[in-house]
Amino acid sequence: MSDEKRPVIIVGHGLAGLVAAYELSKRKIPTIILDQENVNNIGGQAFWSLGGLFVVNSSEQRRVGIKDSRELAMQDWLNSAQFDREHEDHWPRQWAKAFVDFATDEMENYVKGLGLGFMFNVGWAERGDGRADGHGNSVPRFHLTWGTGPEVVRIFKEPVLQAEKDGIIQFKHRHAVDEIIVDEKTGRAVGVKGRILEEDDAIRGVKTSRTAIDTFELRGAAVLVSSGGIGGNVEAVKASWPVDRLGPKVPKNFVVGVPAHVDGRMVGISEKAGAHLINRDRMWHYTEGLQNWNPIWPNHGIRILPAPSSLWLDAAGNRLPPYLFPGSDTLGTLKHICHTGYDYTWFILNQTIIAKEFGLSGSEQNPDITGKSIWQLLGRIFSGKGPVPVQNFMQHGKDFIVKDSLEELVEGMNGLAAERNGPKLQFDKIKKVIDTRDSQFDNAYSKDAQAMLINNGRLYWPDKLSRVVKPHKILDKSKGPLIAVRLNLLTRKTLGGIETNLQSNVMRADGSAFPGLYAAGEVAGFGGGGVHGYNSLEGTFLGGCIFSGRAAGRAMADEVAGAAAAQARL
């Protein structure tokens, strides 16, 4: 069969796979999309996301007075990535430059042209480690989608489903790939084989059956792996844990931030076929995880999206040092926590702080934004109670303690600490830490680094309006009741993965391109095998899926069309 008649095969119906399929459909390239999950899970992890995108010098930034540039974004990226590996960082460095160029020149028009809209307030994620030449965003760049993750999925899913109706694209759900077929003579990826799983109509995100009822084998013009990372597989996370960097030992307890199908199977399958895996010790896990009181997948965790005012204590009641403050330096905080010998920490705050500064990650935890309800959004901002999902966690969440007095609060914290064999907190010590912090809020200025961070955040007027509370003392009774939150480690993203060139073509260990095999999204470290280096600036995960998926789709379309043209000339 000639290449123009063979379909392109995409393994994974998440965001990167959908973007690639969309690009292929524009060129009328026949495509088959396989996934081990059912139709309810189209869009993969992206559906559950908050929908943030990293965009540089956008119209939204300019509208609120943010001065951003390609040069500043590239400076922030390189200072955060800290690329230090001569060979493994070869393609990631090039992907980093290409992505920042895309985020500056094309991202906004590309997604808005498909019907995506951003919220007015540009978010300031990963505010940094306190150094101009260190990790973090110098300015707000987190563009929150009006409609969150489902809307990001929709703008690609709808044209792909239309292409399915037009006979260009075919979905094969409940197909678990076990092998990439490689032609022994040419070394080219020519197809996949695996198991057909029994039907399972579970709702999105729920763990599904792995019982096989048949086998399959498909041949194609090219194969794209876009199957996601390892975040749903805690044992795989632990096996790759960088003890030398985040040590001194692998944490015991995690909550899980992604569905069980994010199992990393295709990483090993691709490596067995000859793909080169790099930077597999680079990962991105959060430190503000909650046990979901209403779980969808096993050990379901939700991340708090904190603004800077909560007091952060380790398991023994010691205040975390600068610049390990809420929303500042995720992996710096993770490293510090791992060195304490415990796998949890504490926020202490009050009702005034939680009402304005607590958000929760995930589309289902933000029904106002996901449902595009302006009235619900205004209620979130001005009600004084905070988002309804946060209120639900305060009432039902196992990690929350709400009390009128500090004595009662510490007693409740000790009850939760005992569940983890953690140290007993001493009331006098906790009160001294809070009193010392509160002493820095008698004036509008302070020597306390966290107080300075709060004041700096309020200089950005959208945050002053809706995100960062007016500085005040935590023990001010008029701001109560008091709240303590046990924070768990939460698995999330793979920053390393399959090495690819700028066309998303998979690389072999000898540095040559793997003919016919492509990788995009998280399985490729969101591009190149590790475009983020050691740290993310946030908004870059969905953006990386879009950029690498687009590159893969366009490259495969060019390859198939080129092969067809060559055959036509014969």
Side-chain angles (χ1 to χ4, degrees), residues 353-385:
I353 294 173
I354 204 169
K356 193 167 187 176
E357 295 202 1
F358 262 40
L360 299 174
S361 182
S363 55
E364 84 285 8
Q365 299 297 329
N366 294 273
D368 49 352
I369 305 172
T370 301
K372 301 182 181 180
S373 171
I374 293 175
W375 293 112
Q376 288 185 36
L377 179 62
L378 291 174
R380 171 206 287 244
I381 296 172
F382 298 112
S383 70
K385 297 179 180 179

mmCIF file of all heavy atoms in Angstrom, residues 353-385:
data_model
loop_
_atom_site.group_PDB
_atom_site.id
_atom_site.type_symbol
_atom_site.label_atom_id
_atom_site.label_comp_id
_atom_site.label_asym_id
_atom_site.label_seq_id
_atom_site.Cartn_x
_atom_site.Cartn_y
_atom_site.Cartn_z
ATOM 1 N N ILE A 353 -8.006 35.267 54.538
ATOM 2 C CA ILE A 353 -7.012 34.849 53.546
ATOM 3 C C ILE A 353 -7.588 33.787 52.617
ATOM 4 O O ILE A 353 -7.462 33.875 51.393
ATOM 5 C CB ILE A 353 -5.738 34.328 54.241
ATOM 6 C CG1 ILE A 353 -5.030 35.465 54.987
ATOM 7 C CG2 ILE A 353 -4.785 33.705 53.217
ATOM 8 C CD1 ILE A 353 -3.850 35.015 55.831
ATOM 9 N N ILE A 354 -8.251 32.790 53.188
ATOM 10 C CA ILE A 354 -8.727 31.693 52.342
ATOM 11 C C ILE A 354 -9.796 32.166 51.361
ATOM 12 O O ILE A 354 -9.888 31.672 50.231
ATOM 13 C CB ILE A 354 -9.245 30.515 53.195
ATOM 14 C CG1 ILE A 354 -9.166 29.218 52.385
ATOM 15 C CG2 ILE A 354 -10.662 30.751 53.704
ATOM 16 C CD1 ILE A 354 -9.406 27.960 53.204
ATOM 17 N N ALA A 355 -10.594 33.156 51.775
ATOM 18 C CA ALA A 355 -11.674 33.630 50.909
ATOM 19 C C ALA A 355 -11.147 34.260 49.631
ATOM 20 O O ALA A 355 -11.769 34.147 48.571
ATOM 21 C CB ALA A 355 -12.541 34.629 51.664
ATOM 22 N N LYS A 356 -9.998 34.905 49.711
ATOM 23 C CA LYS A 356 -9.479 35.617 48.543
ATOM 24 C C LYS A 356 -8.317 34.904 47.875
ATOM 25 O O LYS A 356 -8.136 35.001 46.662
ATOM 26 C CB LYS A 356 -9.036 37.021 48.958
ATOM 27 C CG LYS A 356 -8.761 37.963 47.789
ATOM 28 C CD LYS A 356 -8.641 39.397 48.266
ATOM 29 C CE LYS A 356 -8.535 40.370 47.098
ATOM 30 N NZ LYS A 356 -8.502 41.780 47.548
ATOM 31 N N GLU A 357 -7.544 34.160 48.648
ATOM 32 C CA GLU A 357 -6.275 33.666 48.122
ATOM 33 C C GLU A 357 -6.256 32.188 47.762
ATOM 34 O O GLU A 357 -5.309 31.725 47.144
ATOM 35 C CB GLU A 357 -5.154 33.954 49.127
ATOM 36 C CG GLU A 357 -4.890 35.429 49.331
ATOM 37 C CD GLU A 357 -3.500 35.709 49.865
ATOM 38 O OE1 GLU A 357 -2.724 34.749 50.065
ATOM 39 O OE2 GLU A 357 -3.174 36.891 50.073
ATOM 40 N N PHE A 358 -7.266 31.427 48.150
ATOM 41 C CA PHE A 358 -7.248 30.003 47.834
ATOM 42 C C PHE A 358 -8.039 29.735 46.563
ATOM 43 O O PHE A 358 -9.227 30.054 46.465
ATOM 44 C CB PHE A 358 -7.863 29.185 48.970
ATOM 45 C CG PHE A 358 -6.854 28.583 49.909
ATOM 46 C CD1 PHE A 358 -5.737 29.298 50.289
ATOM 47 C CD2 PHE A 358 -7.023 27.318 50.431
ATOM 48 C CE1 PHE A 358 -4.809 28.770 51.169
ATOM 49 C CE2 PHE A 358 -6.111 26.769 51.316
ATOM 50 C CZ PHE A 358 -4.996 27.493 51.687
ATOM 51 N N GLY A 359 -7.359 29.137 45.598
ATOM 52 C CA GLY A 359 -8.028 28.517 44.476
ATOM 53 C C GLY A 359 -7.649 27.051 44.479
ATOM 54 O O GLY A 359 -6.745 26.625 45.196
ATOM 55 N N LEU A 360 -8.340 26.266 43.697
ATOM 56 C CA LEU A 360 -8.026 24.852 43.557
ATOM 57 C C LEU A 360 -7.787 24.556 42.087
ATOM 58 O O LEU A 360 -8.502 25.052 41.215
ATOM 59 C CB LEU A 360 -9.167 23.980 44.091
ATOM 60 C CG LEU A 360 -9.500 24.148 45.577
ATOM 61 C CD1 LEU A 360 -10.741 23.345 45.933
ATOM 62 C CD2 LEU A 360 -8.327 23.729 46.455
ATOM 63 N N SER A 361 -6.781 23.756 41.822
ATOM 64 C CA SER A 361 -6.468 23.419 40.445
ATOM 65 C C SER A 361 -7.483 22.415 39.917
ATOM 66 O O SER A 361 -7.960 21.547 40.644
ATOM 67 C CB SER A 361 -5.059 22.833 40.358
ATOM 68 O OG SER A 361 -4.718 22.550 39.025
ATOM 69 N N GLY A 362 -7.799 22.534 38.654
ATOM 70 C CA GLY A 362 -8.677 21.559 38.023
ATOM 71 C C GLY A 362 -9.971 22.171 37.529
ATOM 72 O O GLY A 362 -10.550 23.049 38.167
ATOM 73 N N SER A 363 -10.405 21.693 36.381
ATOM 74 C CA SER A 363 -11.626 22.231 35.782
ATOM 75 C C SER A 363 -12.841 21.988 36.661
ATOM 76 O O SER A 363 -13.709 22.858 36.805
ATOM 77 C CB SER A 363 -11.839 21.603 34.401
ATOM 78 O OG SER A 363 -11.841 20.181 34.472
ATOM 79 N N GLU A 364 -12.915 20.807 37.287
ATOM 80 C CA GLU A 364 -14.098 20.482 38.089
ATOM 81 C C GLU A 364 -14.127 21.256 39.398
ATOM 82 O O GLU A 364 -15.177 21.343 40.045
ATOM 83 C CB GLU A 364 -14.163 18.968 38.343
ATOM 84 C CG GLU A 364 -13.339 18.447 39.504
ATOM 85 C CD GLU A 364 -11.837 18.369 39.239
ATOM 86 O OE1 GLU A 364 -11.374 18.862 38.187
ATOM 87 O OE2 GLU A 364 -11.121 17.813 40.085
ATOM 88 N N GLN A 365 -12.983 21.825 39.805
ATOM 89 C CA GLN A 365 -12.924 22.604 41.038
ATOM 90 C C GLN A 365 -13.164 24.093 40.795
ATOM 91 O O GLN A 365 -13.080 24.897 41.725
ATOM 92 C CB GLN A 365 -11.561 22.404 41.715
ATOM 93 C CG GLN A 365 -11.265 20.968 42.100
ATOM 94 C CD GLN A 365 -12.228 20.414 43.131
ATOM 95 O OE1 GLN A 365 -12.748 21.150 43.970
ATOM 96 N NE2 GLN A 365 -12.469 19.109 43.081
ATOM 97 N N ASN A 366 -13.448 24.441 39.558
ATOM 98 C CA ASN A 366 -13.701 25.839 39.201
ATOM 99 C C ASN A 366 -14.940 25.927 38.314
ATOM 100 O O ASN A 366 -14.865 26.320 37.141
ATOM 101 C CB ASN A 366 -12.481 26.426 38.487
ATOM 102 C CG ASN A 366 -11.275 26.529 39.395
ATOM 103 O OD1 ASN A 366 -11.106 27.525 40.093
ATOM 104 N ND2 ASN A 366 -10.440 25.501 39.398
ATOM 105 N N PRO A 367 -16.105 25.557 38.863
ATOM 106 C CA PRO A 367 -17.315 25.502 38.033
ATOM 107 C C PRO A 367 -17.714 26.852 37.460
ATOM 108 O O PRO A 367 -18.356 26.910 36.409
ATOM 109 C CB PRO A 367 -18.378 24.963 38.999
ATOM 110 C CG PRO A 367 -17.859 25.285 40.369
ATOM 111 C CD PRO A 367 -16.370 25.159 40.256
ATOM 112 N N ASP A 368 -17.346 27.939 38.135
ATOM 113 C CA ASP A 368 -17.684 29.265 37.620
ATOM 114 C C ASP A 368 -16.944 29.560 36.324
ATOM 115 O O ASP A 368 -17.533 30.003 35.330
ATOM 116 C CB ASP A 368 -17.390 30.340 38.669
ATOM 117 C CG ASP A 368 -15.999 30.220 39.288
ATOM 118 O OD1 ASP A 368 -15.293 29.219 39.026
ATOM 119 O OD2 ASP A 368 -15.609 31.129 40.047
ATOM 120 N N ILE A 369 -15.634 29.292 36.317
ATOM 121 C CA ILE A 369 -14.825 29.575 35.128
ATOM 122 C C ILE A 369 -15.061 28.513 34.059
ATOM 123 O O ILE A 369 -15.188 28.831 32.871
ATOM 124 C CB ILE A 369 -13.335 29.658 35.501
ATOM 125 C CG1 ILE A 369 -13.125 30.688 36.613
ATOM 126 C CG2 ILE A 369 -12.495 30.025 34.285
ATOM 127 C CD1 ILE A 369 -11.722 30.709 37.174
ATOM 128 N N THR A 370 -15.140 27.249 34.473
ATOM 129 C CA THR A 370 -15.394 26.173 33.518
ATOM 130 C C THR A 370 -16.741 26.365 32.833
ATOM 131 O O THR A 370 -16.875 26.170 31.620
ATOM 132 C CB THR A 370 -15.353 24.809 34.224
ATOM 133 O OG1 THR A 370 -14.060 24.639 34.832
ATOM 134 C CG2 THR A 370 -15.590 23.668 33.247
ATOM 135 N N GLY A 371 -17.743 26.760 33.614
ATOM 136 C CA GLY A 371 -19.076 26.981 33.069
ATOM 137 C C GLY A 371 -19.283 28.354 32.466
ATOM 138 O O GLY A 371 -20.389 28.673 32.019
ATOM 139 N N LYS A 372 -18.238 29.174 32.479
ATOM 140 C CA LYS A 372 -18.278 30.525 31.905
ATOM 141 C C LYS A 372 -19.412 31.365 32.508
ATOM 142 O O LYS A 372 -20.155 32.046 31.798
ATOM 143 C CB LYS A 372 -18.424 30.465 30.380
ATOM 144 C CG LYS A 372 -17.306 29.719 29.673
ATOM 145 C CD LYS A 372 -17.502 29.737 28.163
ATOM 146 C CE LYS A 372 -16.408 28.988 27.444
ATOM 147 N NZ LYS A 372 -16.586 28.992 25.973
ATOM 148 N N SER A 373 -19.507 31.310 33.845
ATOM 149 C CA SER A 373 -20.548 32.060 34.543
ATOM 150 C C SER A 373 -19.948 33.308 35.186
ATOM 151 O O SER A 373 -19.224 33.216 36.188
ATOM 152 C CB SER A 373 -21.208 31.194 35.620
ATOM 153 O OG SER A 373 -22.070 31.975 36.420
ATOM 154 N N ILE A 374 -20.239 34.457 34.626
ATOM 155 C CA ILE A 374 -19.731 35.708 35.184
ATOM 156 C C ILE A 374 -20.296 35.943 36.581
ATOM 157 O O ILE A 374 -19.586 36.404 37.484
ATOM 158 C CB ILE A 374 -20.076 36.883 34.250
ATOM 159 C CG1 ILE A 374 -19.305 36.737 32.928
ATOM 160 C CG2 ILE A 374 -19.742 38.212 34.908
ATOM 161 C CD1 ILE A 374 -19.656 37.781 31.898
ATOM 162 N N TRP A 375 -21.573 35.599 36.785
ATOM 163 C CA TRP A 375 -22.189 35.835 38.087
ATOM 164 C C TRP A 375 -21.539 34.984 39.168
ATOM 165 O O TRP A 375 -21.288 35.456 40.281
ATOM 166 C CB TRP A 375 -23.691 35.568 38.014
ATOM 167 C CG TRP A 375 -24.410 36.550 37.144
ATOM 168 C CD1 TRP A 375 -25.018 36.314 35.953
ATOM 169 C CD2 TRP A 375 -24.556 37.959 37.395
ATOM 170 N NE1 TRP A 375 -25.539 37.471 35.431
ATOM 171 C CE2 TRP A 375 -25.275 38.502 36.299
ATOM 172 C CE3 TRP A 375 -24.161 38.808 38.426
ATOM 173 C CZ2 TRP A 375 -25.598 39.843 36.210
ATOM 174 C CZ3 TRP A 375 -24.486 40.153 38.339
ATOM 175 C CH2 TRP A 375 -25.192 40.657 37.251
ATOM 176 N N GLN A 376 -21.268 33.716 38.864
ATOM 177 C CA GLN A 376 -20.588 32.869 39.843
ATOM 178 C C GLN A 376 -19.173 33.373 40.110
ATOM 179 O O GLN A 376 -18.693 33.325 41.248
ATOM 180 C CB GLN A 376 -20.540 31.426 39.345
ATOM 181 C CG GLN A 376 -21.871 30.701 39.376
ATOM 182 C CD GLN A 376 -21.733 29.241 38.982
ATOM 183 O OE1 GLN A 376 -20.742 28.592 39.297
ATOM 184 N NE2 GLN A 376 -22.727 28.724 38.275
ATOM 185 N N LEU A 377 -18.513 33.861 39.076
ATOM 186 C CA LEU A 377 -17.159 34.385 39.247
ATOM 187 C C LEU A 377 -17.167 35.611 40.154
ATOM 188 O O LEU A 377 -16.315 35.750 41.039
ATOM 189 C CB LEU A 377 -16.560 34.732 37.883
ATOM 190 C CG LEU A 377 -15.143 35.315 37.897
ATOM 191 C CD1 LEU A 377 -14.154 34.312 38.482
ATOM 192 C CD2 LEU A 377 -14.715 35.714 36.484
ATOM 193 N N LEU A 378 -18.117 36.501 39.956
ATOM 194 C CA LEU A 378 -18.219 37.679 40.819
ATOM 195 C C LEU A 378 -18.508 37.272 42.259
ATOM 196 O O LEU A 378 -17.993 37.878 43.208
ATOM 197 C CB LEU A 378 -19.310 38.612 40.297
ATOM 198 C CG LEU A 378 -19.007 39.314 38.963
ATOM 199 C CD1 LEU A 378 -20.227 40.093 38.485
ATOM 200 C CD2 LEU A 378 -17.800 40.237 39.092
ATOM 201 N N GLY A 379 -19.313 36.225 42.420
ATOM 202 C CA GLY A 379 -19.588 35.723 43.760
ATOM 203 C C GLY A 379 -18.338 35.199 44.431
ATOM 204 O O GLY A 379 -18.128 35.390 45.636
ATOM 205 N N ARG A 380 -17.485 34.537 43.661
ATOM 206 C CA ARG A 380 -16.214 34.036 44.194
ATOM 207 C C ARG A 380 -15.359 35.194 44.711
ATOM 208 O O ARG A 380 -14.759 35.111 45.782
ATOM 209 C CB ARG A 380 -15.457 33.285 43.093
ATOM 210 C CG ARG A 380 -14.017 32.916 43.479
ATOM 211 C CD ARG A 380 -13.118 32.761 42.252
ATOM 212 N NE ARG A 380 -13.376 31.549 41.509
ATOM 213 C CZ ARG A 380 -12.488 30.558 41.369
ATOM 214 N NH1 ARG A 380 -11.306 30.641 41.934
ATOM 215 N NH2 ARG A 380 -12.781 29.508 40.648
ATOM 216 N N ILE A 381 -15.304 36.267 43.933
ATOM 217 C CA ILE A 381 -14.402 37.370 44.253
ATOM 218 C C ILE A 381 -14.903 38.202 45.427
ATOM 219 O O ILE A 381 -14.133 38.603 46.302
ATOM 220 C CB ILE A 381 -14.200 38.265 43.009
ATOM 221 C CG1 ILE A 381 -13.508 37.465 41.891
ATOM 222 C CG2 ILE A 381 -13.376 39.494 43.358
ATOM 223 C CD1 ILE A 381 -13.439 38.204 40.565
ATOM 224 N N PHE A 382 -16.214 38.441 45.475
ATOM 225 C CA PHE A 382 -16.730 39.439 46.416
ATOM 226 C C PHE A 382 -17.581 38.874 47.554
ATOM 227 O O PHE A 382 -18.042 39.631 48.404
ATOM 228 C CB PHE A 382 -17.552 40.484 45.651
ATOM 229 C CG PHE A 382 -16.742 41.257 44.639
ATOM 230 C CD1 PHE A 382 -16.960 41.095 43.280
ATOM 231 C CD2 PHE A 382 -15.748 42.132 45.053
ATOM 232 C CE1 PHE A 382 -16.217 41.809 42.342
ATOM 233 C CE2 PHE A 382 -14.993 42.844 44.131
ATOM 234 C CZ PHE A 382 -15.228 42.680 42.772
ATOM 235 N N SER A 383 -17.778 37.566 47.616
ATOM 236 C CA SER A 383 -18.672 37.013 48.638
ATOM 237 C C SER A 383 -18.068 37.034 50.035
ATOM 238 O O SER A 383 -18.790 37.022 51.033
ATOM 239 C CB SER A 383 -19.043 35.570 48.283
ATOM 240 O OG SER A 383 -17.918 34.716 48.435
ATOM 241 N N GLY A 384 -16.731 37.033 50.122
ATOM 242 C CA GLY A 384 -16.080 36.943 51.420
ATOM 243 C C GLY A 384 -15.986 35.525 51.947
ATOM 244 O O GLY A 384 -15.422 35.287 53.017
ATOM 245 N N LYS A 385 -16.526 34.570 51.191
ATOM 246 C CA LYS A 385 -16.494 33.171 51.612
ATOM 247 C C LYS A 385 -15.501 32.345 50.803
ATOM 248 O O LYS A 385 -15.088 31.276 51.233
ATOM 249 C CB LYS A 385 -17.883 32.554 51.479
ATOM 250 C CG LYS A 385 -18.938 33.195 52.356
ATOM 251 C CD LYS A 385 -20.293 32.534 52.140
ATOM 252 C CE LYS A 385 -21.363 33.176 53.013
ATOM 253 N NZ LYS A 385 -22.696 32.552 52.790
#
